[in-house]
Amino acid sequence: MKGRFTSKLEYPALLAGAFLLAMAASWSDLGQRVDNDAYDFLFQRQPAPQGEPQSAVLALDDASLKDMRGVLGLRDAVAESLELLKATGPRAVALDVIFSEPGEPAVDARLEAAIRNLERVVLPCDLMPAGKSWEDPLPRFRAAAAGVGHVHAEPNSVSREILLEKRAARERRWALALEAFRVAENGRILETPSDVEVAGVVIPASLRAQRALWIRYLPPERPVPEITLGELRADPSKARRFAGKTVFVGSTSQLVARDRMQTPYSANSVPMPGVVIHANVYETIARRMFLTTVPLWATVLFAASLVAAAGWVFVRFSGWTAYGLAGVVLALAHLMPWAAFTQGKILSFMPGFACAWLGVSAAASYRYFVVRHRMLKAELERLRYQQAMHFVTHEMRTPLTAIQGSSELIGRYALTDEKRKQIAQLINSESKRLGKMIEIFLSVERLSAGLIEMKREPFSGFDLMQTCVDRVRPLAERKKIGVTLDPNFQAPLEGDRELMEYAFYNLLTNAVKYSPKETEVSVYARRQGGEVRISVQDQGIGMDSKEVKQIFQKFYRTKRAEESGEVGTGIGLSIVEQIVTQHGGRIEVASSPGKGSCFTLVLGGAG
Ligand code: ADP
């Protein structure tokens, strides 16, 4: 019963283990990396929808800054850019260069005037390195601008998301692109726990996820339009391309290279300047190209159902059908994130992937190793049972034939009294033998099915042994085998005397059966701890250690026993073992081929 119970739980436990392992793997560093790579892979294959860009970049590149004292001339360059933009009528302008310290008074005045003139300018701010306060633009610039937005990027190697909201020193700032969109639309930012709304655009960025927004970068072949300050200077008519758009002004200079990040497109190639990333965030918002994350519970549920499906497949089906369906489970794990992505939903790749592979491997191995092993074992048992049945029916046929023949004789012929008595005796002894055989055969089944009631009463081990030894003596004498019983045999026992007698008698008959003529069988008892050890030792044919392991199986007989010519069924010891275990004891066997065996019953003892 116990065995069956554990084996019922074994499989679900194995699958649960596979699930937990897969979850742990998913949230490990390696798992996160695989997730990110899968995201980038899908991202590249599902480009953002076509459409007119709503923003543009005015790039301050190295060439534009060359004649302007490099970084020192940046303030001048930005002022000049804003002046040039004024003529084109942009929807809004967002700056990605922070001027937090005063510069030359004349230049600062020029810049302040340019900002004020444009009316719709958003200035950047950033978190100070410690993250506790804001690095803000000079108050004079800020007063002239329409808004301030943060340009903070989380320290990830690839910029996939942006946090729309950041707090420092109790002051909350929205991301530069969001602020630019608010100014461009002349709207207000409304918040709920699950999203942020600006001018009728609902941005899925929940408070719980720190208002993170997936950036839907435009593909490299149709990027956000970009013009350098140098190009604009050379051909002012190019400014027309900025009309009606929100323009992001910032440095793409190699000198400010730290302001470049990897994107899902740029892996292994040139990182993208920060200003272009902000323009892409703006496109994501303005064109509502939102990607939303599938909730954690749904991800876990999906992964768990893959493990369950893998488990079910290998229980319900076998062979190629099972492997084929397992392939479907694996395919689902790979395709679902892709299918979700086409619907704008980000389903983490790793949990499903790890769960499907681990689940399928665990279920398939279990099926292969454990179930197959069990099937083979059951098959072997069936075969042995069949052989035993053959043997038993063969054995039974002999007494049956004798009984049949004898009874016919009595019926058919007039026999002398002497002869009739002889035949009657034969019938009696043969039918007794038959009865005994059937009884033994049935007791195995009944004992193993728990149908035999066991008594619990104290009795003397010595008396019991004495009875058994007396019974076996005639058999032993035929082979001139001496049976000695230790006179100091002290073994008060408790249990079912009748069953115990059966067990001891079996050990004794075996000792006599499997010993050559003129040897000794000795029976003795020892007390050890709270236990009584009763041994039956012979000088018989013995067994090797491999055989010892098998003799308690039903119908097993050693080769040596078969060759000895002694009749047997191989059932006795399996009954003995069951009786002893029902008494809470065990059997120990020490044996060596040709030298003899010692069977020891270890029992609890009484009093
Ligand atoms: P049976 O004696 O009817 O064959 P058992 O179940 O009593 O069946 O014993 C199983 C087998 O264990 C025997 O066939 C024999 O090979 C081996 N065996 C049991 N007792 C002894 C012993 N005392 N010496 C050697 N072999 C033994």
Side-chain angles (χ1 to χ4, degrees), residues 60-80:
L60 310 175
D61 65 344
D62 286 326
S64 312
L65 297 175
K66 208 167 93 194
D67 310 324
M68 307 187 71
R69 295 173 295 157
V71 180
L72 289 177
L74 210 52
R75 224 169 269 228
D76 264 331
V78 170
E80 185 192 352

Side-chain angles (χ1 to χ4, degrees), residues 73-357:
L74 210 52
R75 224 169 269 228
D76 264 331
V78 170
E80 185 192 352
S81 303
L82 296 183
E83 285 158 9
L84 284 167
L85 283 173
K86 174 71 185 165
T88 66
R91 204 173 173 89
V93 174
L95 270 189
D96 187 27
V97 194
I98 305 179
F99 300 115
S100 52
E101 302 292 332
E104 288 169 28
V107 180
D108 282 1
R110 179 186 176 194
L111 183 56
E112 185 191 339
I115 294 170
R116 181 159 291 123
N117 255 338
L118 261 170
E119 287 169 11
R120 290 180 168 189
V121 176
V122 177
L123 296 180
C125 63
D126 202 355
L127 282 175
M128 293 297 273
K132 294 220 161 60
S133 59
W134 289 108
E135 181 191 10
D136 272 329
L138 271 183
R140 64 187 293 187
F141 298 147
R142 200 175 164 184
V148 176
H150 81 77
V151 292
H152 173 77
E154 287 299 305
N156 287 334
S157 58
V158 178
S159 184
R160 297 182 184 88
E161 288 175 287
I162 185 166
L163 301 184
L164 290 182
E165 171 189 302
K166 271 320 270 186
R167 284 169 200 272
R170 297 233 189 103
E171 234 187 298
R172 189 262 304 275
R173 299 280 165 80
W174 295 108
L176 184 72
L178 179 64
E179 187 69 359
F181 185 65
R182 174 186 73 77
V183 170
E185 296 300 315
N186 210 1
R188 278 188 341 130
I189 298 179
L190 307 169
E191 325 169 45
T192 71
S194 59
D195 47 52
V196 174
E197 188 184 332
V198 188
V201 179
V202 180
I203 307 166
S206 74
L207 196 58
R208 199 144 40 100
Q210 295 180 279
R211 302 265 187 234
L213 174 72
W214 294 100
I215 309 172
R216 196 76 191 259
Y217 290 95
L218 297 188
E221 60 277 9
R222 45 182 173 87
V224 175
E226 190 176 322
I227 298 173
T228 67
L229 177 58
E231 288 169 335
L232 197 60
R233 266 193 214 123
D235 179 5
S237 73
K238 279 199 170 139
R240 255 177 285 144
R241 291 177 58 189
F242 290 130
K245 293 195 195 305
T246 296
V247 183
F248 286 80
V249 182
S251 165
T252 60
S253 159
Q254 297 294 337
L255 295 169
V256 205
R258 75 179 173 86
D259 190 28
R260 278 172 179 264
M261 302 274 293
Q262 297 281 359
T263 73
Y265 278 120
S266 70
N268 304 326
S269 70
V270 200
M272 186 180 269
V275 62
V276 185
I277 295 181
H278 292 306
N280 275 283
V281 176
Y282 188 91
E283 292 296 322
T284 309
I285 296 171
R287 288 165 61 192
R288 297 167 202 201
M289 301 184 296
F290 300 122
L291 296 169
T292 50
T293 312
V294 171
L296 183 65
W297 65 264
T299 309
V300 172
L301 193 72
F302 170 64
S305 54
L306 286 176
V307 175
W312 176 77
V313 159
F314 283 95
V315 166
R316 185 75 185 69
F317 304 96
S318 60
W320 286 111
T321 322
Y323 292 121
L325 287 172
V328 172
V329 172
L330 291 175
L332 266 179
H334 289 80
L335 292 179
M336 277 304 276
W338 173 79
F341 203 105
T342 60
Q343 303 303 308
K345 303 238 180 303
I346 311 291
L347 173 62
S348 271
F349 178 73
M350 189 63 187
F353 170 80
C355 274
W357 278 101

Side-chain angles (χ1 to χ4, degrees), residues 563-580:
E563 287 165 2
S564 71
E566 290 286 352
V567 184
T569 53
I571 290 179
L573 279 184
S574 83
I575 303 179
V576 172
E577 191 189 31
Q578 282 181 48
I579 292 172
V580 173

Side-chain angles (χ1 to χ4, degrees), residues 510 513-514 538 551 556-558 561 568-573 597 599:
N510 276 351
K513 262 160 67 177
Y514 302 118
D538 64 43
I551 51 174
Y556 177 83
R557 302 195 75 209
T558 63
T569 53
I571 290 179
L573 279 184
S597 315
F599 283 74

Side-chain angles (χ1 to χ4, degrees), residues 38-55:
Y39 175 84
D40 294 348
F41 180 86
L42 291 173
F43 195 96
Q44 289 166 23
R45 271 148 200 84
Q46 295 285 322
Q50 302 259 4
E52 180 63 24
Q54 306 286 304
S55 63

Side-chain angles (χ1 to χ4, degrees), residues 253-572:
S253 159
Q254 297 294 337
L255 295 169
V256 205
R258 75 179 173 86
D259 190 28
R260 278 172 179 264
M261 302 274 293
Q262 297 281 359
T263 73
Y265 278 120
S266 70
N268 304 326
S269 70
V270 200
M272 186 180 269
V275 62
V276 185
I277 295 181
H278 292 306
N280 275 283
V281 176
Y282 188 91
E283 292 296 322
T284 309
I285 296 171
R287 288 165 61 192
R288 297 167 202 201
M289 301 184 296
F290 300 122
L291 296 169
T292 50
T293 312
V294 171
L296 183 65
W297 65 264
T299 309
V300 172
L301 193 72
F302 170 64
S305 54
L306 286 176
V307 175
W312 176 77
V313 159
F314 283 95
V315 166
R316 185 75 185 69
F317 304 96
S318 60
W320 286 111
T321 322
Y323 292 121
L325 287 172
V328 172
V329 172
L330 291 175
L332 266 179
H334 289 80
L335 292 179
M336 277 304 276
W338 173 79
F341 203 105
T342 60
Q343 303 303 308
K345 303 238 180 303
I346 311 291
L347 173 62
S348 271
F349 178 73
M350 189 63 187
F353 170 80
C355 274
W357 278 101
L358 280 175
V360 164
S361 316
S365 326
Y366 184 85
R367 162 110 209 154
Y368 190 77
F369 292 112
V370 181
V371 176
R372 236 174 97 100
H373 177 76
R374 265 191 211 151
M375 256 166 54
L376 281 178
K377 220 172 119 181
E379 177 70 6
L380 223 82
E381 216 157 86
R382 203 179 59 81
L383 212 80
R384 224 177 32 236
Y385 195 82
Q386 226 173 28
Q387 281 171 351
M389 273 316 250
H390 248 90
F391 177 77
V392 171
T393 44
H394 184 80
E395 281 285 289
M396 285 179 181
R397 200 171 290 151
T398 326
L400 258 180
T401 323
I403 293 168
Q404 245 171 20
S406 312
S407 52
E408 261 175 36
L409 277 179
I410 298 178
R412 219 177 270 177
Y413 306 104
L415 298 167
T416 59
D417 270 359
E418 176 70 14
K419 197 83 188 156
R420 182 168 304 173
K421 213 170 156 189
Q422 240 179 23
I423 292 177
Q425 239 167 24
L426 185 76
I427 292 178
N428 187 271
S429 66
E430 287 302 294
S431 51
K432 266 189 189 151
R433 200 153 86 93
L434 199 60
K436 189 97 198 150
M437 229 180 254
I438 292 170
E439 197 187 312
I440 291 179
F441 203 73
L442 288 181
S443 24
V444 193
E445 303 306 319
R446 279 159 52 201
L447 240 178
S448 60
L451 291 174
I452 291 189
E453 273 278 313
M454 218 185 73
K455 290 190 209 120
R456 292 212 160 271
E457 54 194 13
F459 58 89
S460 152
F462 184 78
D463 289 353
L464 178 94
M465 254 4 256
Q466 191 73 61
T467 320
C468 294
V469 168
D470 289 346
R471 265 175 67 194
V472 87
R473 207 149 254 147
L475 203 71
E477 271 162 11
R478 256 187 259 162
K479 291 172 86 176
K480 297 205 174 80
I481 292 174
V483 185
T484 54
L485 176 58
D486 180 1
N488 299 322
F489 196 107
Q490 279 298 329
L493 296 174
E494 195 182 77
D496 192 313
R497 199 198 136 105
E498 220 167 286
L499 286 180
M500 235 6 156
E501 190 179 316
Y502 179 91
F504 278 120
Y505 183 66
N506 225 291
L507 293 185
L508 274 174
T509 46
N510 276 351
V512 172
K513 262 160 67 177
Y514 302 118
S515 291
K517 284 182 181 164
E518 292 166 8
T519 51
E520 285 290 327
V521 171
S522 47
V523 182
Y524 52 88
R526 300 257 181 287
R527 264 179 176 279
Q528 210 174 64
E531 293 175 335
V532 179
R533 303 171 60 87
I534 305 171
S535 304
V536 178
Q537 185 152 23
D538 64 43
Q539 300 167 333
I541 54 175
M543 294 161 279
D544 59 38
S545 56
K546 227 169 132 191
E547 291 169 325
V548 168
K549 281 192 193 125
Q550 288 171 288
I551 51 174
F552 295 103
Q553 291 173 6
K554 285 181 209 167
F555 310 119
Y556 177 83
R557 302 195 75 209
T558 63
K559 216 167 166 194
R560 242 179 300 257
E562 297 269 21
E563 287 165 2
S564 71
E566 290 286 352
V567 184
T569 53
I571 290 179

